[in-house]
Amino acid sequence: MLRGIRKASSNWLGKAIMMVVMGVLILSFAVWGIADIFKGFGQSTLATIGKTEISTEQFRQIYTEKLQQLGRQFGRPLTMDQARAFGLDRQVLQQTIAEAALDEEARRMKLGQSDAEIMRMIYSDPNFRGVAGNFDPARFQATIRQFGFTEQRYIAEQRRVSLRRQIAGTVSAGLEPPKVMIEALSRFQNEQRTIDYVKLNAAQAGTIDPPAPEALAAYFEDRKTQFRAPEYRKISFVVVTPEEIGKWSEVSDDEAKKIFEQNRSRLGTPERRQVSQIVFPNAEEAAAARGRLVGGMSFEDLAKERGLNPSDVDLGTIARSAIIDSAVAEAAFALPEGEISQPVPGRFGVALVKIGKIEPGVEPTYESVATTIKKEIATEQARAKVSDLYNKMEDERGGGAGVIEAAQKLGLSAVTINAVDRSGRLPDGQPVTNIPRGIDVVSQAFNSNVGVENDPIQFNGGYVWYDVLEVTASRERTLDEVKDQVEAKWRDDQITSRLRTRATEMVQKLDQGGKLADEAVAVGSKVETAKDVRRDASLPGLPASAITAAFRTPKDAVGQTAGAGGSEWIVFRVTDISVPAVDLASDDIKKLKDTLQRGLTDEQVAQYISKIEQTIGTTINRAAFAQVTGANN
């Protein structure tokens, strides 16, 4: 439930489903919070960890929410079958168990967290800020209620997450990647290769005559499953979110101007100044140093004399709010450009402040931000309407009304899709366009059936109700129905086969001393060059498969690989390999070190969690797990 509220766990999603799922570490969920572990869920228990029970229904909710989260991330639903193929089912189970293990360990160690600290965390959470930018109790209550929390339960969950962080921080304290590891990975990442290559495409495959009818029929018979018509479902749904309802709301200029005046400083661009400071232990030393500066000594020379680096002195070009010491901030923003302050008693000593370039702030006009403010106000006001419409929709559904009928009674717009497959495509192969991005209503519909009253999907602070109206079963198509597709696939296979054969012949000639330029001319192509390519490079015209193959090939050796799709093949020679020197002080190395340190931390805490699980005992109800994740379907 907290996954939708808290941003702490947002970093474990990537750009592609495989990278996302395989890149997730158990630790990131166990420490930062992903599940809500409950006791006393009756007889249906999916797992026990020490004295903690995870019920089947609780895990079902966690797992469903994870699928929905990935669906919103990628703009298309993730089916149960896809999730199992990527190992998501096992990972979510492991993550949930790991959380419970850390909670058990926190109880054993008698760790605690004060109410004051928990409240500070809640008050500072940007998810609970209203239009004015401050903590909004009404928004807090509405948000946690949206995710199924009472105030007491949400505070208890925050306390558990905080205790997990305490344990993880203690276990991983002092870890640092060794220098030899940093250097080895840097050399691996930064190695560069230059390759000469020749592309073979359909032109090099030669003329391909149409297949004989009997040959096409035999080809189709061997591959019937590839051309099978998928299952389609007719579905209807209605979306009720603050953003949607906010579109119907009218906000007056008086309301918007009031918010504008309250937040004028936040909406504009604040004045920024180039600030330098030197801190002294007492006022006497600071006064003496100022005298020398007034006498002609430069700020930089004084800093060097005191053994300070430029980074110790130069605060950069910053806004007033970015200066931690309020006394220094007040002095810095009272001085004219180029001036040096009198000694300033601050939190960390007595400071001398010098002002460089001043960038004036920009005051916003009401007209420039009116539209944005009105939208925010309308969305904020709509949150209460969402709750009201939720109750009314549930009442209508409870009385037997379908989604379309209930929506009509409440003046809402329902959407009907006559036929959609599991991947979100219409019978013509085009993706559905009238489902808002991030709503996984298709995958939910394929987990339901005609006549089933479905629970609404939580989405963007609101809800999505849906019905399955009709199911069209999957079936085998006849050759006549898909003849064009079969012919196109047959032709692609012929091209691929011929290109692979021609590329193999070219490689054999090159291995025997032939020249790549001569072979390119012989096949009617040309030699292209890619210089200083890194293994993670993305180059136009050169597919990733060719780069990967080049980094498996020794210098001066040749190789071949498939190109873009099946209609391209690439023959290449590696002409140069270079490895830049490792600069341990560079920003890239610092970033690499941080990445390695996070990895070591994750591994250390994961091992610690594993030991806890072994010590306190873990049992899993495999049958319940299979039932929740669809393995029994």
Side-chain angles (χ1 to χ4, degrees):
M1 297 177 183
L2 285 174
R3 275 121 26 229
I5 303 175
R6 192 168 51 248
K7 301 297 184 183
S9 62
S10 63
N11 291 332
W12 42 266
L13 290 177
K15 293 183 179 179
I17 292 179
M18 180 61 78
M19 292 176 65
V20 169
V21 178
M22 299 309 293
V24 171
L25 291 172
I26 295 171
L27 167 70
S28 62
F29 298 93
V31 176
W32 304 115
I34 189 71
D36 192 14
I37 306 302
F38 297 91
K39 292 184 178 180
F41 273 86
Q43 299 177 355
S44 181
T45 300
L46 188 137
T48 59
I49 307 91
K51 297 180 180 179
T52 297
E53 291 186 358
I54 302 172
S55 77
T56 300
E57 285 306 311
Q58 176 60 16
F59 183 76
R60 187 193 308 277
Q61 184 177 23
I62 294 169
Y63 190 61
T64 300
E65 287 177 357
K66 179 59 182 174
L67 295 186
Q68 293 174 358
Q69 187 181 54
L70 285 175
R72 290 190 293 270
Q73 173 81 10
F74 299 111
R76 61 182 299 177
L78 186 67
T79 67
M80 290 282 194
D81 291 341
Q82 290 171 327
R84 289 197 307 277
F86 294 131
L88 182 64
D89 53 346
R90 297 180 296 277
Q91 289 197 6
V92 173
L93 176 63
Q94 291 171 332
Q95 292 148 13
T96 306
I97 290 173
E99 275 198 333
L102 280 177
D103 292 342
E104 286 281 309
E105 182 73 348
R107 283 190 287 270
R108 185 189 68 80
M109 299 172 69
K110 298 182 179 179
L111 297 180
Q113 182 65 275
S114 69
D115 291 339
E117 176 60 18
I118 297 299
M119 297 312 297
R120 185 198 65 77
M121 292 167 55
I122 293 174
Y123 286 146
S124 62
D125 192 328
N127 294 288
F128 305 140
R129 293 174 185 166
V131 176
N134 301 319
F135 176 78
D136 185 341
R139 180 161 185 164
F140 167 71
Q141 292 291 344
T143 303
I144 65 173
R145 186 168 56 249
Q146 170 71 26
F147 288 89
F149 280 94
T150 63
E151 181 176 323
Q152 292 77 14
R153 226 181 93 213
Y154 179 76
I155 291 174
E157 173 64 17
Q158 288 295 307
R159 196 183 307 277
R160 286 196 292 271
V161 170
S162 179
L163 297 180
R164 293 172 199 154
R165 292 174 181 168
Q166 289 184 35
I167 296 173
T170 301
V171 170
S172 61
L175 284 177
E176 188 169 331
K179 178 181 176 182
V180 65
M181 177 187 288
I182 296 172
E183 291 178 339
L185 281 175
S186 175
R187 286 192 291 269
F188 178 83
Q189 289 182 349
N190 295 317
E191 179 184 330
Q192 297 176 345
R193 299 195 172 202
T194 297
I195 62 173
D196 291 339
Y197 62 96
V198 175
K199 286 184 180 180
L200 307 178
N201 53 38
Q204 281 73 46
T207 301
I208 299 178
D209 296 325
E214 58 273 15
L216 188 65
Y219 181 86
F220 173 70
E221 284 297 323
D222 290 340
R223 297 165 178 80
K224 267 189 174 182
T225 56
Q226 297 181 24
F227 303 99
R228 186 180 179 88
E231 177 183 319
Y232 290 102
R233 297 201 170 197
K234 181 178 181 180
I235 63 175
S236 63
F237 65 92
V238 62
V239 180
V240 176
T241 65
E243 184 177 1
E244 287 292 319
I245 296 176
K247 294 177 182 177
W248 316 332
S249 304
E250 293 186 2
V251 177
S252 68
D253 282 325
D254 289 341
E255 287 182 273
K257 285 179 179 177
K258 181 179 178 181
I259 297 299
F260 171 74
E261 292 300 331
Q262 293 173 351
N263 295 272
R264 184 187 291 267
S265 59
R266 181 174 67 88
L267 295 170
T269 302
E271 177 184 318
R272 290 160 54 88
R273 295 184 168 209
Q274 185 179 1
V275 180
S276 301
Q277 73 166 3
I278 299 177
V279 180
F280 300 85
N282 53 63
E284 290 75 15
E285 285 192 38
R290 187 178 189 280
R292 297 173 66 192
L293 292 171
V294 173
M297 187 178 192
S298 72
F299 216 72
E300 292 74 16
D301 288 342
L302 178 60
K304 290 179 182 178
E305 183 180 285
R306 299 184 67 83
L308 300 174
N309 295 320
S311 60
D312 299 326
V313 175
D314 187 8
L315 302 184
T317 302
I318 56 177
R320 180 175 184 145
S321 60
I323 301 177
I324 298 174
D325 194 321
S326 59
V328 172
E330 184 176 352
F333 278 77
L335 290 170
E337 188 172 314
E339 287 294 315
I340 298 173
S341 71
Q342 295 292 333
V344 180
R347 293 170 58 184
F348 308 105
V350 181
L352 291 181
V353 179
K354 179 183 177 182
I355 301 303
K357 183 180 178 181
I358 297 176
E359 297 178 0
V362 178
E363 283 286 333
T365 63
Y366 170 72
E367 290 74 18
S368 66
V369 295
T371 302
T372 301
I373 292 176
K374 287 184 177 182
K375 183 178 179 181
E376 290 181 357
I377 294 174
T379 300
E380 192 69 24
Q381 293 174 346
R383 295 182 189 280
K385 296 180 182 179
V386 167
S387 179
D388 181 55
L389 283 171
Y390 171 82
N391 292 329
K392 290 180 179 179
M393 276 293 293
E394 288 295 281
D395 287 344
E396 293 293 338
R397 297 280 283 154
V403 163
I404 295 176
E405 181 184 354
Q408 289 174 343
K409 287 183 179 180
L410 299 177
L412 302 173
S413 298
V415 176
T416 299
I417 301 173
N418 289 322
V420 61
D421 66 16
R422 287 181 181 272
S423 67
R425 294 185 177 275
L426 302 171
D428 63 2
Q430 296 300 310
V432 174
T433 58
N434 54 349
I435 299 178
R437 179 177 174 84
I439 298 180
D440 60 346
V441 67
V442 172
S443 65
Q444 294 296 317
F446 272 84
N447 290 327
S448 181
N449 216 322
V450 176
V452 174
E453 183 177 334
N454 305 294
D455 292 332
I457 303 168
Q458 296 179 359
F459 174 72
N460 278 3
Y463 302 89
V464 180
W465 285 267
Y466 65 96
D467 278 340
V468 178
L469 305 179
E470 185 179 316
V471 176
T472 302
S474 173
R475 65 177 179 83
E476 287 188 352
R477 291 182 173 122
T478 65
L479 177 58
D480 289 340
E481 289 181 274
V482 290
K483 186 176 181 180
D484 290 344
Q485 297 176 38
V486 177
E487 284 187 355
K489 184 67 170 61
W490 178 89
R491 177 180 172 79
D492 289 343
D493 287 353
Q494 292 295 310
I495 292 173
T496 299
S497 176
R498 292 191 185 187
L499 293 181
R500 184 187 296 111
T501 300
R502 178 152 287 188
T504 300
E505 293 171 352
M506 288 178 63
V507 169
Q508 290 172 349
K509 292 179 181 179
L510 293 171
D511 283 338
Q512 295 169 3
K515 295 181 179 180
L516 190 61
D518 295 339
E519 293 303 317
V521 172
V523 298
S525 186
K526 62 180 180 179
V527 177
E528 299 180 65
T529 299
K531 296 189 65 176
D532 299 330
V533 179
R534 287 175 36 148
R535 64 180 73 241
D536 59 352
S538 178
L539 302 177
L542 187 64
S545 59
I547 296 174
T548 300
F551 274 85
R552 292 197 299 259
T553 305
K555 183 181 177 182
D556 297 326
V558 295
Q560 61 167 303
T561 184
S567 60
E568 182 181 81
W569 214 265
I570 294 174
V571 176
F572 64 88
R573 185 190 298 276
V574 178
T575 61
D576 186 52
I577 299 176
S578 63
V579 181
V582 178
D583 180 7
L584 293 174
S586 68
D587 289 340
D588 287 342
I589 292 296
K590 291 177 182 177
K591 292 177 182 177
L592 176 60
K593 182 178 178 181
D594 290 342
T595 301
L596 289 173
Q597 190 152 355
R598 287 194 296 270
L600 291 173
T601 297
D602 289 350
E603 183 178 355
Q604 182 87 346
V605 178
Q607 290 177 3
Y608 183 78
I609 292 171
S610 179
K611 181 64 176 177
I612 295 173
E613 293 174 6
Q614 293 175 12
T615 302
I616 65 178
T618 301
T619 58
I620 299 171
N621 183 341
R622 297 292 177 183
F625 174 68
Q627 188 270 328
V628 169
T629 58
N632 289 338
N633 295 339

